[in-house]
Structure formats: structure tokens, C-alpha cells
Amino acid sequence: MFALVDCNNFYASCERVFQPQFRNTPIAILSNNDGCVIARSDEAKKIGIPMGAPAFKYKAFFKEHNIKVFSSNYPLYGDMSSRVMNILKQFSPDIEVYSIDEAFLELNIFEKENLDKLGHEMRNRILQWTGLPTCVGIAPTKSLSKVANKIARKFPKETGGTFVIDSENKRLKALKWTKIKDVWGIGSRLQKRLIQQNIKTAYDFTQLPDVWVKNNFSVTELNLKKDLEGMITFTLEENHPVKKSIATTRSFENTYTDIKDIKERVATFANSCAEKLRIQNSNCNIIIVLLQGDRFDKNSNPYKNSITVTLPHTTNSSLTITKYATKAIEQLYKKGINYKRAGVIVTGLVPTDNHQLDMFARENPKHRPLMQAIDQLNKKYGDHKLKLANQDLDKTWKMRQEYLSKQYTTQFNQILIIK
Amino acid sequence: MITEALTFFTPDTQESEGAFFFDTGISCGFPSPAADFKQERISLDRELIKNKEATFFAKVSGQSMIGAGLDDNDLLVIDRSIAPSDNKIAVCFLDGEFTVKRLRVTKDGVWLQPENSDYHPIKITTENNFVIWGIVTNVIKKL
């Protein structure tokens, strides 16, 4: 049996653990740099704040509806997440951390009463130890455990936050209740095609002939169908592969028109990508650079463009990646536009120690020891004391975090104060 | 021209982790007489934190619990996994504020007992917005 444990409104719930006065207040969490809404409490969802709502446009709305706004506090969320995951490991050593706030567990218990009891035990332990509410769905397969979880979340009073699919009857009932858009792994494009075929629920989907699903979609959808039918086709992925691409994209604090300013930002983003590559011991061979105008500037058409650069060799050198990223910006840049956002994405990742030998094009062998030295110095002296010459030395990248709560669990000088 | 790519493995020169280097046994000279009696060094973390997933730290502000040894600016170790009961010192959230007091569970109800004669016990009623947040297990003082 599989269990899916999902924290309810995770970011908002983390804030509430340390500021219980907001237990019943609608909460909205903003993205990095306070750009837009990325998480909401149930109350905020009810009032009708959409995901992705731009913060500055909703300022009056927040105030009018007494919505408590927070900047995202990832050090706090990350620590609370690792507490939850470690507690879950006490219930089963077979765990797949699926995201910051949800995990799949494989359970070796088959007695029905025990499963329901186990689900409640998980919930209660996590709630008591960390203060975070969760929902638990237990079922014979991963995709069914997702369905069960959704039911637990939707009917808290009836289920007590735990729902087990342990009979054919329950499985069918659950699938009939589940809308096709809520099925795990069915994306928006697939959704549209299925709805055109009058496939409205997960149950309808499982009634399609195997051959038809395989021919019209792909083997992935066929696997999903079987998993929903109760045949295990998805297993736990315990070791998530290293990231396939790394991105640093940010909105600027102000809009920029001068290419010099934009180049400096892009060099900083490129450098940050290179650092992340070195941390996970990867090289990249493709760099994508994005540049966007201010989408709220009514006087100009929102400019949005990107360039993909294929490198002559794989690298994780800040010097090389920055060089190509700034070259790309020279081509993307047009005069007379208010730019608001840029980004660097590195992809085509390979392990650092596994170069394909190219006789003619190779990373300058001096770069590797140089990068190691830079990383060590920055680690020792903290916060990017050592920068590349095309980065602004005076500029420290400051995220706008107007509504930031404290890092209660990771910084000694920010712990709770109690009278 | 050879088109097939060769895969080279460069040795990792970074500091090694996870393997221990034993320098007794094989080498010449005298083996350390302490080797057979080796113990892990004392760790305050291990001593003070019994359940690390449920443990949080907080700082005391004020002297309402001075009688129990909790002074202004002392550091509290709070374990949320311990069940609250009579006589335990608890961090509570009472009407919009965190407070640390001794729990008194009697037939008449729950009281929060300060340990300072300048303060009065607080009786918890249904009117109160009240949560027991965690149980204090240790106090750390800076001298």
C-alpha cells in the first residue's frame, strides 16, 4: 500500500506555527522579491485571491479583506519540511519526498483497520510535533493514494484528514468523484483533449480501452490508467536524480533601460547558476537567457524574448557562463524599453567528472581550480565577497521582503520571544 | 577522425568524506592505549535534545518565572512531543501572546502559575484563546 502525506497550505501553516494569532486569518504568501501570490490559506482562497496575483495590484484588496501577507521565508519552510519528512521516516523507511510539502510512503501493512489508524497516527504526530496540519491518502497505488488524499482534504469532517481506498467499491466511488483535471499527471493539454472526448472523471478515463489510450496518447497515460485501476505501475523514486536544469530568474527592484544595468544583473544570475552547477557537481552545455519588459507598463508592448546558446564544450565555470550570457543579452537588448525581469537557465547537464573529450574545444583547465578557490573563499567569508569584474561590487542582490517573518528555527537571533 | 566520444574519469580531488582513516594497527610504534576505550565526545545537543524534530528554541522575556529559574534572556529548550500535564512548565499561546508558565491542572480547571509573587495565576476559561505550544525541558543561561 502507498500513502501520500500532504501538508495543508504548507507555507501559510508554517507561518501560523510561530504566529498563532493568524490561525483563522486569511494568509497570502508572496514569491521571491514580493512579486506575486504563490500560496494561500483556505480563507484567502475563499475570498478569491487567485494564484499568481501581482502583489502591487492587490495591495488595496489585501487591506480591504484583512489579508495577512507574508514574504516567502524559505529557510523556515525548508526546516519545517525536513522535520515533517523525518517524522514520516519513522513510519516507513521507504519514502519518496515528492516536494517540499508532500511525500509518498510505501507501507507494509494490509489490515484495513490498521491502515486507517496508521494514517491518523501520522497526522497526529506531525501536528503535535511540528504544529503543521496534513492530510493522508492511503491506497494500493501511488495515483490512487493521490485520489484518496484529495478526498481526505476535501472532507475533513467525514474523514478526519485520512482516507483509505481499500476496496473495489471505494476505488470506483473515489474515481467517479475525481474530476479529470485533478488526476495526478494529467496536464492541461491532455485535459482538453479528454474533455473533448467527454471524459470528465477519473472513472471515465479508466473505462477507455487500453489500445485507444496508447494510440491516442502515449504509454505514460496507459500506465496511469493501469495505476488508477489498482495495478502498481508507478514505484517510489527514492533518489531524485540531480536537477536537469538550473534557473535564476528575477524581477528587478526597479525597471532598467540601460544595457549596462541589465548586463550586470544577468552576469550575477549567470554566476549564481554556475555556483549551483558546481554545488551539484554538474556541467552544462546550453545556456538560455531571458529578458522581459515591464508587463504592467501600459505605454510599451510587453517585450519578451530569449536566446538559447549552445556552448562549444560543457562547463561550470562562472567566467565562461557569464561571458556567453552577457553576449546573449547584447543581442536581446533593444533601446527604449523598460526592462523588469531577466533570467539565466542552464541545461544540458552532465556530471562534471565525465567530460566527453573534444580535441579542439575544452574548458580552459585553469578555470576549475580558480572556481574552487572562489567557492571556498565565498564559503569562508560569506555572501559573495568575491565577484566577477562584470558584477557590480557595491551591489548586493537585495530581495524585496517587506513582509518577512523571522527565521525562527535557523537563526539564533531570530528565535521566538516568550513572556 | 574518430567520432566516438571517449569517457574520461578524473579523480575527485575534493576532501574525502565518510571514510575513517585508522592510523593504529598497521603502523610501527606503539598503538594508542586509548583506542579500545574510545567514546564519543560529550554533546550538549544529544543531552538536551531528546527529539530533534519536535524541539524548538525560544528566549525568555521578563521574570514571571524567576522562581523556577527562568530569567530574562534565558534560552528555553521546548519539546512539542511531550504531553502537557500538571506541574510541567509550558510555553502557551494565550490571547495573542506567547507566555511561559507552570501548568496547574486541577478539578476546577487549568491554571497558568507564574513563579514570581508580583504575578497572579491565570485561570483558563472558554473565553480565552489558548493553546499549549510545547513543554520546556531545559533552560540555558549565559553568565
Side-chain angles (χ1 to χ4, degrees):
Chain A
M1 292 295 258
F2 290 89
L4 176 69
V5 183
D6 192 357
C7 299
N8 307 346
N9 307 323
F10 179 61
Y11 295 174
S13 299
C14 286
E15 300 291 354
R16 281 174 173 166
V17 171
F18 300 93
Q19 298 189 56
Q21 63 269 39
F22 299 120
R23 239 180 321 168
N24 302 310
T25 310
I27 291 178
I29 315 276
L30 304 181
S31 61
N32 274 340
N33 215 19
D34 290 349
C36 58
V37 175
I38 51 161
R40 303 157 297 164
S41 71
D42 282 342
E43 299 80 5
K45 286 176 192 169
K46 239 177 238 164
I47 294 172
I49 307 165
M51 272 298 253
F56 79 93
K57 275 198 166 177
Y58 275 78
K59 223 168 184 174
F61 187 88
F62 292 149
K63 206 167 180 188
E64 182 191 338
H65 291 91
N66 261 324
I67 292 158
K68 174 71 187 167
V69 178
F70 288 97
S71 304
S72 35
N73 186 345
Y74 286 109
L76 178 68
Y77 310 152
D79 177 67
M80 294 304 277
S81 169
S82 77
R83 287 171 190 257
V84 171
M85 299 308 166
N86 287 338
I87 293 170
L88 287 175
K89 279 177 200 156
Q90 299 171 349
F91 290 93
S92 169
D94 303 316
I95 176 170
E96 173 188 345
V97 177
Y98 188 67
S99 69
I100 193 168
D101 61 353
E102 59 184 322
F104 287 103
L105 278 81
E106 205 166 340
L107 305 173
N108 292 314
I109 303 174
F110 293 94
E111 296 96 57
K112 288 174 190 176
E113 294 136 56
N114 287 352
L115 282 174
D116 193 58
K117 214 177 107 197
L118 187 72
H120 282 104
E121 264 177 44
M122 289 182 193
R123 285 197 74 234
N124 291 339
R125 195 177 297 176
I126 294 170
L127 183 64
Q128 190 184 346
W129 292 17
T130 67
L132 296 168
T134 54
C135 279
V136 182
I138 300 176
T141 70
K142 273 171 90 175
S143 61
L144 286 171
S145 72
K146 271 264 184 189
V147 169
N149 185 285
K150 193 117 199 162
I151 292 171
R153 180 80 167 92
K154 193 83 185 180
F155 303 102
K157 274 187 198 136
E158 293 84 344
T159 63
T162 297
F163 189 72
V164 185
I165 296 179
D166 53 4
S167 70
E168 189 56 9
N169 198 13
K170 275 191 182 173
R171 185 184 71 86
L172 292 174
K173 219 176 148 187
L175 289 186
K176 282 177 185 167
W177 177 81
T178 305
K179 290 190 188 105
I180 196 71
K181 72 172 170 66
D182 293 330
V183 177
W184 184 42
I186 299 228
S188 58
R189 206 183 297 167
L190 197 58
Q191 222 184 88
K192 269 185 204 151
R193 286 177 61 195
L194 286 167
I195 285 169
Q196 279 169 4
Q197 302 287 332
N198 213 22
I199 308 298
K200 287 174 186 155
T201 66
Y203 175 77
D204 295 343
F205 180 67
T206 57
Q207 294 311 104
L208 293 166
D210 283 2
V211 184
W212 191 90
V213 173
K214 199 180 165 187
N215 290 344
N216 282 273
F217 302 115
S218 77
V219 79
T220 318
E221 283 71 34
L222 182 60
N223 284 339
L224 175 61
K225 180 185 173 229
K226 286 184 179 157
D227 208 70
L228 287 170
E229 284 166 345
M231 280 171 55
I232 298 171
T233 53
F234 301 130
T235 51
L236 287 192
E237 291 170 26
E238 289 174 46
N239 297 311
H240 272 286
V242 287
K243 280 189 193 161
K244 291 279 160 54
S245 67
I246 291 171
T248 304
T249 63
R250 295 270 154 79
S251 295
F252 308 139
E253 281 167 284
N254 309 303
T255 56
Y256 289 135
T257 51
D258 190 338
I259 189 163
K260 266 193 253 158
D261 293 326
I262 296 164
K263 266 191 180 170
E264 189 280 327
R265 291 286 78 209
V266 167
T268 302
F269 300 161
N271 189 27
S272 145
C273 285
E275 274 176 8
K276 289 178 194 162
L277 280 173
R278 297 199 291 273
I279 287 171
Q280 69 162 43
N281 252 319
S282 298
N283 280 21
C284 72
N285 68 359
I286 294 169
I287 304 174
I288 302 163
V289 181
L290 322 153
L291 185 61
Q292 269 179 38
D294 186 358
R295 66 191 165 115
F296 301 110
D297 184 355
K298 277 177 192 137
N299 300 322
S300 70
N301 271 335
Y303 175 86
K304 202 174 179 183
N305 209 346
S306 70
I307 283 185
T308 303
V309 185
T310 307
L311 301 175
H313 52 81
T314 74
T315 184
N316 61 17
S317 158
S318 295
L319 295 174
T320 310
I321 293 170
T322 308
K323 184 177 95 184
Y324 284 100
T326 43
K327 270 193 179 160
I329 273 300
E330 282 167 15
Q331 293 189 39
L332 286 172
Y333 177 82
K334 284 179 187 165
K335 264 193 175 164
I337 293 174
N338 293 325
Y339 293 99
K340 184 65 188 172
R341 191 177 176 84
V344 176
I345 301 166
V346 292
T347 182
L349 305 193
V350 293
T352 298
D353 292 336
N354 191 5
H355 293 302
Q356 291 193 322
L357 188 74
D358 185 323
M359 297 293 275
F360 304 103
R362 227 179 340 162
E363 186 55 272
N364 181 340
K366 285 179 184 160
H367 282 199
R368 193 171 174 197
L370 176 62
M371 290 304 132
Q372 279 174 355
I374 291 179
D375 290 343
Q376 271 165 21
L377 286 170
N378 275 336
K379 205 169 161 187
K380 192 166 170 191
Y381 296 106
D383 261 17
H384 301 102
K385 290 280 184 295
L386 209 59
K387 292 184 180 183
L388 302 181
N390 47 6
Q391 291 177 253
D392 190 339
L393 275 177
D394 293 329
K395 194 158 197 160
T396 48
W397 172 250
K398 262 203 321 250
M399 263 201 285
R400 191 184 301 157
Q401 293 183 307
E402 239 177 277
Y403 315 99
L404 187 63
S405 57
K406 292 193 172 139
Q407 287 160 14
Y408 301 99
T409 61
T410 53
Q411 294 292 334
F412 241 117
N413 57 1
Q414 297 187 27
I415 59 176
L416 281 176
I417 294 185
I418 292 168
K419 285 187 182 169
Chain B
M1 195 179 149
I2 306 164
T3 50
E4 213 176 321
L6 289 176
T7 309
F8 276 73
F9 295 93
T10 333
D12 192 348
T13 54
Q14 286 181 335
E15 280 178 70
S16 73
E17 267 181 83
F20 290 99
F21 176 58
F22 290 97
D23 61 353
T24 55
I26 306 168
S27 66
C28 313
F30 294 101
S32 162
D36 289 343
F37 303 94
K38 199 164 166 63
Q39 292 184 348
E40 270 189 79
R41 192 172 293 161
I42 288 168
S43 146
L44 273 182
D45 260 20
R46 225 175 20 242
E47 182 59 25
L48 303 182
I49 303 173
K50 297 299 175 211
N51 184 343
K52 70 179 172 42
E53 314 313 335
T55 297
F56 296 84
F57 298 111
K59 202 175 255 186
V60 179
S61 157
Q63 294 191 309
S64 70
M65 288 295 283
I66 192 76
L70 277 62
D71 206 345
D72 198 40
N73 265 324
D74 283 356
L75 183 71
L76 302 178
V77 182
I78 305 159
D79 188 338
R80 289 183 52 108
S81 67
I82 297 172
S85 60
D86 183 46
N87 210 31
K88 293 227 161 88
I89 293 180
V91 168
C92 303
F93 193 76
L94 178 65
D95 298 332
E97 237 180 18
F98 277 109
T99 178
V100 58
K101 296 286 176 292
R102 195 179 290 282
L103 289 177
R104 286 284 171 227
V105 186
T106 64
K107 276 175 274 170
D108 316 322
V110 178
W111 297 75
L112 296 185
Q113 173 85 54
E115 306 235 337
N116 179 336
S117 52
D118 297 342
Y119 293 79
H120 299 290
I122 306 159
K123 183 168 197 279
I124 304 303
T125 68
T126 48
E127 305 279 288
N128 290 115
N129 184 343
F130 176 66
V131 189
I132 298 174
W133 199 86
I135 301 299
V136 177
T137 57
N138 294 276
V139 188
I140 301 168
K141 294 173 173 295
K142 209 168 210 167
L143 297 175

